[in-house]
Amino acid sequence: MLDDTRDDTNADTGSKCSGKPEGKRKSTDASLVVDAEGRILRASAAAEKLFFAQAGALAGRQYGFHFRPGEDTDIEIMQPSGKRLTVTAHHHIVEWDGQTAVQIDIDDHVHAHPSGKSSNDLLRALVAHSPLAIIAADLSGCVTLWNFTAVQLFGHSDVEMRGQKLPENCVQYEDSLLGLFERALNGETIQGYEVTGMLGDSESLIDVEVWLTRISNARGLPGGVLLMLADITGRKKIEAHIRRVVGHDPLTGLPNRRQFHKQLQRLLHHKKHQEMMPILVMQLGLDRFRAINKSLGPLLGDQLLRDVSRRLAETLYETDLLARTGGDEFSILLRGTHHIQDAVRVAERLRQRLAEPFILGGHEIFVTASIGLSVAPDNGIDADELIRAADSAMARAKEQGGDSSQFFTPELDTQARNRLVLENALRHAIERNELFLEYQPQTDVARRTIVGVEALVRWQHPEMGLIPPASFIPLAENCGLIEDIGTWVLNAACHQLHVWDCAGLPPLRMAVNVSARQFRDSKLRDQVALALVRHHLAPERLELELTESILMRNTSDAIKMMERLKALGIALAIDDFGTGFSSLSYLAEFPVDTLKIDQSFVRGADGQIRNGPIVRAICTLAAGLGMRTIAEGVESLQQLDFLLAHRCDEVQGYLLARPMAPERLAELILNPASLWPKV
Ligand code: C2E
Ligand code: MG
Ligand code: MG
């Protein structure tokens, strides 16, 4: 089996090796010289051939077999075919390059393996012919068995690997074969573990499935680990392909129903742990698509669906999820939209975009769409419920003639549309002069005189009538109109104060409400400064009311913002005080002048004070911090008495005056007797 005809090119042996082989047998052509650690210093060409190694590949590697100078041992060499050769190795001490080494001469006599049917033979055959890469390693991780499939998988020969540490670098990513090896060594049996990105033959990345188990030595003690590896690279590729195909619609390349369902469910699950923002689902179906498809033919019909999907994708935000969930149906998850009126707006935009003609086969094709909308949590909290709700809303839209959008719940529909109408109307409210201010007096309790007014905005809509601020201020905050409205209020209030000044009224203080978004806007300070200059007002004439909840949101930033405003010389009040759970330590740091006790503590049943202890505590707290108190919502004499008794500085409420037009307020100030009730 050994190729005796091959030349031994070991011409330099004599020059380096000065020892004399001790053995009595003839030295064979196949010989190796190893150092004391078993590292191969030289291998003859015949030895390389014997071990199926490339020329020069053995030098520097571990010999891997046991050797004892002066002794002969039988060693087994596995052939690529899986056959094993047993040859005898003779060891003798030699001098090699000035150091003591061992020369190993390998007898050319090959022991024939009895072609017996012993279990050992069977096992050998099994290992040799196994389609699995079978590797054994000793306790220190050095390879003791490396079958032919392992050779093919990793591109290293049996001889190259024997005695080598398991190649750590053949694992590229998170899983280390050595880590698994350690676990197996500790007694764990690892079955079918997938390791991706191992470095395989010719540096290619491969995926393998591995089985590892600990093996015992002759004395029954842990002797090492047996590894079996199956190359699953091909299977993984097919699986990934199937996943792609299964998750996507081949016609449009969009996610399909399954994928949509999965992502929606994931979002719903994720949202459960967060604040419950509405999640909006849209089902869009093309009207009379069957007829269009029939007249166009299947090829152009497919093209139309592709064009529709492109237009839809262009119209939506990138964060939204668009899927093709049926022949002519698309599902949309609006991830960038948090208000139901915005969903109506998106639906309208999609319909408008689809209404533009499609050019197919030289013809203009017109399509319309019906859209159903559902929202979590109102219409359901899982994906099935929401999709079903959007589906049935879409069906309803189709029944009613198509070319429209509908919410699943009619009330939601009305609410969303009303809000949308309101929002659209609000956009024009300022320019159409529909906003106006009323002023509610703030009265000094001890002196019984009006010392200030609070400006309260109203919206007079030509059709909808008078709309209270509680209905449109939050809407203005959401749709970005609050800055404009806030600036208008500030200027209108300052202008009014100047008009009163010019009319000879005593100098009043003007309180103006500031909303959360306005307060966070860095332009607020400049707008205030400008309004003061423009309307010839001393800064102390203006007081800004900030709600407690605004101030508690990001306290250190809020303090900075308040300090910038205070630097203008204006006054600051905390509105609705007591409802936002101010931290008392922060309160001391807030540069505020006034605490406005929230109405909910003042207005009790039958004109009683609602929560006397809280009102008393706020008055004491404010006095301690050097702040003024003003009680809101004072409607009865009992409440007024209580506030008087507990040294509340000012009161504001229906008992004294409702918010009113500026002309009436001027009359009231000029005739204050009508204001103060007989106590
Ligand atoms: P607020 O700043 O706490 O204003 C006090 C509210 O209580 C006003 O309601 C006022 O009319 C009402 N009120 C005053 N005295 C009494 C009373 O004795 N009994 C009862 N039941 N109510 C009384 P309004 O005008 O509807 O304003 C509501 C809220 O809208 C205000 O609460 C404020 O947060 C906001 N707001 C009003 N105008 C503006 C504005 O120009 N800008 C901003 N950002 N918010 C405003
Ligand atoms: Mg206020
Ligand atoms: Mg208030």
Side-chain angles (χ1 to χ4, degrees):
M1 246 168 264
L2 293 171
D3 185 0
D4 288 332
T5 60
R6 203 170 130 171
D7 275 352
D8 188 352
T9 50
N10 176 26
D12 64 346
T13 312
S15 65
K16 282 199 173 178
C17 181
S18 57
K20 273 256 160 105
E22 292 163 17
K24 292 160 260 165
R25 289 161 304 277
K26 74 174 172 85
S27 176
T28 61
D29 291 342
S31 71
L32 303 162
V33 177
V34 300
D35 68 10
E37 270 77 51
R39 204 162 59 89
I40 299 173
L41 301 172
R42 171 205 159 268
S44 71
E48 286 171 350
K49 183 148 187 152
L50 183 69
F51 286 108
F52 303 97
Q54 305 221 320
L58 291 185
R61 299 207 163 270
Q62 269 315 106
Y63 172 52
F65 298 101
H66 288 290
F67 63 93
R68 203 171 291 156
E71 280 190 10
D72 297 346
T73 50
D74 281 355
I75 59 171
E76 279 190 354
I77 301 168
M78 175 126 61
Q79 291 183 298
S81 65
K83 265 196 177 165
R84 280 174 178 272
L85 304 175
T86 305
V87 291
T88 306
H90 314 288
H91 311 104
H92 22 253
I93 305 272
V94 290
E95 248 334 82
W96 179 262
D97 249 0
Q99 59 169 314
T100 305
V102 178
Q103 176 166 333
I104 305 161
D105 293 327
I106 299 168
D107 214 326
D108 55 358
H109 172 70
V110 175
H111 302 261
H113 271 296
S115 58
K117 292 158 187 62
S118 71
S119 57
N120 252 1
D121 277 348
L122 273 175
L123 275 178
R124 278 202 191 98
L126 196 63
V127 169
H129 299 292
S130 169
L132 297 177
I134 300 178
I135 299 168
D138 63 16
L139 291 177
S140 59
C142 289
V143 172
T144 55
L145 173 73
W146 186 264
N147 79 347
F148 191 59
T149 308
V151 174
Q152 288 177 317
L153 197 60
F154 294 108
H156 300 296
S157 75
D158 173 29
V159 174
E160 279 176 302
M161 287 310 296
R162 259 177 198 274
Q164 295 291 313
K165 286 263 184 192
L166 269 182
E168 214 168 338
N169 62 354
C170 71
V171 181
Q172 293 282 295
Y173 299 127
E174 66 249 53
D175 293 303
S176 153
L177 198 56
L178 285 187
L180 294 175
F181 181 85
E182 289 297 324
R183 281 165 57 187
L185 212 51
N186 288 329
E188 195 181 330
T189 299
I190 293 157
Q191 292 193 321
Y193 193 96
E194 289 184 6
V195 183
T196 53
M198 287 183 76
L199 206 53
D201 184 15
S202 63
E203 307 278 290
S204 61
L205 288 185
I206 54 171
D207 300 327
V208 293
E209 194 169 352
V210 291
W211 293 262
L212 291 97
T213 187
R214 190 169 68 188
I215 44 178
S216 313
N217 63 15
R219 282 176 291 155
L221 298 169
V225 168
L226 181 72
L227 296 93
M228 289 179 285
L229 302 93
D231 183 359
I232 54 165
T233 316
R235 192 184 90 198
K236 284 271 160 202
K237 276 196 185 126
I238 293 169
E239 278 175 7
H241 177 70
I242 290 173
R243 256 203 310 278
R244 264 198 310 278
V245 172
V246 166
H248 282 78
D249 161 45
L251 180 70
T252 58
L254 293 175
N256 62 13
R257 182 176 278 270
R258 234 177 94 121
Q259 186 72 1
F260 183 80
H261 185 281
K262 203 164 121 188
Q263 298 229 20
L264 175 60
Q265 194 62 35
R266 194 180 296 160
L267 179 74
L268 288 162
H269 177 77
H270 180 65
K271 283 276 172 174
K272 252 185 223 163
H273 310 291
Q274 296 181 359
E275 58 188 286
M276 211 51 193
M277 291 260 249
I279 291 175
L280 295 149
V281 173
M282 214 180 249
Q283 191 69 15
L284 182 148
L286 301 179
D287 298 324
R288 292 171 287 282
F289 180 72
R290 206 175 285 174
I292 300 174
N293 197 31
K294 216 169 164 187
S295 68
L296 284 176
L299 277 182
L300 288 183
D302 281 358
Q303 188 55 45
L304 176 63
L305 287 170
R306 271 195 291 266
D307 290 353
V308 165
S309 71
R310 198 168 312 123
R311 281 198 196 172
L312 296 178
E314 283 166 5
T315 314
L316 293 164
Y317 288 141
E318 255 173 46
T319 46
D320 297 334
L321 175 68
L322 169 67
R324 178 164 175 244
T325 50
D328 61 10
E329 284 181 16
F330 296 85
S331 299
I332 298 155
L333 171 59
L334 295 178
R335 284 192 278 218
T337 308
H338 300 304
H339 304 291
I340 55 170
Q341 70 270 25
D342 294 340
V344 178
R345 205 194 304 276
V346 174
E348 292 317 302
R349 222 172 35 223
L350 291 173
R351 290 201 313 106
Q352 277 167 19
R353 189 77 179 85
L354 293 184
E356 294 164 25
F358 289 89
I359 311 292
L360 288 168
H363 300 288
E364 280 197 338
I365 309 291
F366 291 90
V367 295
T368 57
S370 299
I371 299 176
L373 290 149
S374 65
V375 56
D378 306 50
N379 302 142
I381 49 164
D382 79 29
D384 286 323
E385 289 172 324
L386 286 172
I387 293 170
R388 224 177 300 129
D391 247 338
S392 75
M394 182 188 74
R396 210 171 340 119
K398 283 201 173 198
E399 275 161 30
Q400 292 168 9
D403 197 12
S404 66
S405 65
Q406 286 212 356
F407 262 100
F408 173 66
T409 334
E411 303 81 66
L412 266 183
D413 208 63
T414 319
Q415 192 187 328
R417 276 169 217 285
N418 285 348
R419 284 177 73 100
L420 192 63
V421 168
L422 205 64
E423 196 179 304
N424 287 337
L426 190 57
R427 289 187 191 279
H428 306 291
I430 298 178
E431 72 214 42
R432 291 181 188 158
N433 263 332
E434 292 168 3
L435 296 183
F436 68 96
L437 293 179
E438 287 193 321
Y439 302 89
Q440 187 174 31
Q442 298 180 327
T443 314
D444 186 307
V445 179
R447 290 190 287 141
R448 300 189 174 197
T449 51
I450 298 174
V451 287
V453 291
E454 179 177 6
L456 294 159
V457 68
R458 274 89 183 88
W459 177 18
Q460 181 70 49
H461 187 272
E463 281 110 44
M464 292 183 275
L466 188 65
I467 302 164
S471 306
F472 70 89
I473 293 287
L475 191 67
E477 277 252 316
N478 284 337
C479 66
L481 289 172
I482 195 68
E483 278 91 352
D484 289 350
I485 294 179
T487 314
W488 179 85
V489 169
L490 181 68
N491 279 289
C494 288
H495 170 72
Q496 185 58 57
L497 200 54
H498 180 61
V499 170
W500 283 329
D501 284 349
C502 294
L505 261 63
L508 295 168
R509 189 187 58 226
M510 175 67 73
V512 173
N513 292 285
V514 170
S515 77
R517 199 155 153 177
Q518 246 182 305
F519 178 64
R520 283 197 298 270
D521 185 353
S522 56
K523 294 194 288 292
L524 178 65
R525 183 189 168 277
D526 291 348
Q527 282 167 357
V528 170
L530 195 65
L532 292 172
V533 173
R534 188 182 289 165
H535 303 288
H536 318 285
L537 296 175
E540 59 275 12
R541 306 282 303 283
L542 182 68
E543 181 165 73
L544 296 186
E545 293 192 3
L546 313 164
T547 60
E548 195 183 5
S549 46
I550 304 177
L551 302 179
M552 292 314 294
R553 224 170 275 168
N554 186 343
T555 349
S556 53
D557 280 359
I559 292 174
K560 275 188 215 132
M561 197 64 203
M562 282 190 276
E563 277 165 353
R564 291 186 64 214
L565 290 168
K566 273 302 291 179
L568 294 173
I570 61 167
L572 295 179
I574 302 185
D575 204 353
D576 305 340
F577 185 78
T579 56
F581 305 107
S582 271
S583 140
L584 292 184
S585 58
Y586 280 130
L587 189 61
E589 283 183 53
F590 286 166
V592 293
D593 307 86
T594 313
L595 297 185
K596 281 191 90 170
I597 307 169
D598 191 64
Q599 322 195 355
S600 61
F601 304 119
V602 179
R603 286 198 288 127
D606 302 329
Q608 296 300 310
I609 192 97
R610 173 80 167 274
N611 198 330
I614 293 255
V615 172
R616 195 166 50 223
I618 296 176
C619 292
T620 313
L621 180 70
L625 292 170
M627 297 173 185
R628 247 173 349 114
T629 40
I630 172 159
E632 290 187 85
V634 181
E635 291 184 345
S636 73
L637 283 173
Q638 289 105 301
Q639 290 157 1
L640 185 64
D641 283 345
F642 184 92
L643 293 161
L644 261 169
H646 292 98
R647 302 218 169 79
C648 179
D649 299 300
E650 290 173 27
V651 288
Q652 175 181 344
Y654 293 175
L655 176 71
L656 301 163
R658 289 186 174 246
M660 59 185 77
E663 303 76 29
R664 269 216 56 213
L665 194 111
E667 283 170 28
L668 193 68
I669 290 189
L670 296 173
N671 181 15
S674 64
L675 174 76
W676 199 255
K678 308 266 176 294
V679 187

